[in-house]
Amino acid sequence: SSAASDVYKRQLQGAGVIWREQEQTIPPAVTYGLTSRGNDLRGVLDTLGHIAERWKDEGVFAEDELGTV
């Protein structure tokens, strides 16, 4: 959910993993990015992403009735 996503982003921002920039426009434009600490994790996250894609291709993740994993 959006609320859960906001909590995770706040936690990552608090840990110094991501930065957040909000422009005072209507509607507000919000941009997120990795800090140097977040970039330290890039290799690990990329590797996990590759593994997840491979497992998905192998059918490890079954879709539910709604078509989500």
Side-chain angles (χ1 to χ4, degrees):
S1 76
S2 178
S5 177
D6 289 343
V7 169
Y8 295 136
K9 286 186 260 185
R10 274 187 247 120
Q11 289 174 335
L12 290 169
Q13 188 177 1
V17 175
I18 63 171
W19 54 263
R20 179 182 188 274
E21 181 179 289
Q22 181 173 340
E23 294 182 36
Q24 299 304 316
T25 58
I26 299 175
V30 180
T31 305
Y32 292 92
L34 291 174
T35 64
S36 60
R37 181 174 282 179
N39 277 318
D40 288 344
L41 298 172
R42 184 178 290 277
V44 174
L45 296 174
D46 286 345
T47 299
L48 286 173
H50 294 304
I51 292 169
E53 285 296 321
R54 188 179 77 231
W55 287 4
K56 181 180 175 188
D57 293 343
E58 293 171 1
V60 172
F61 305 114
E63 291 187 4
D64 64 18
E65 312 76 58
L66 300 176
T68 58
V69 176

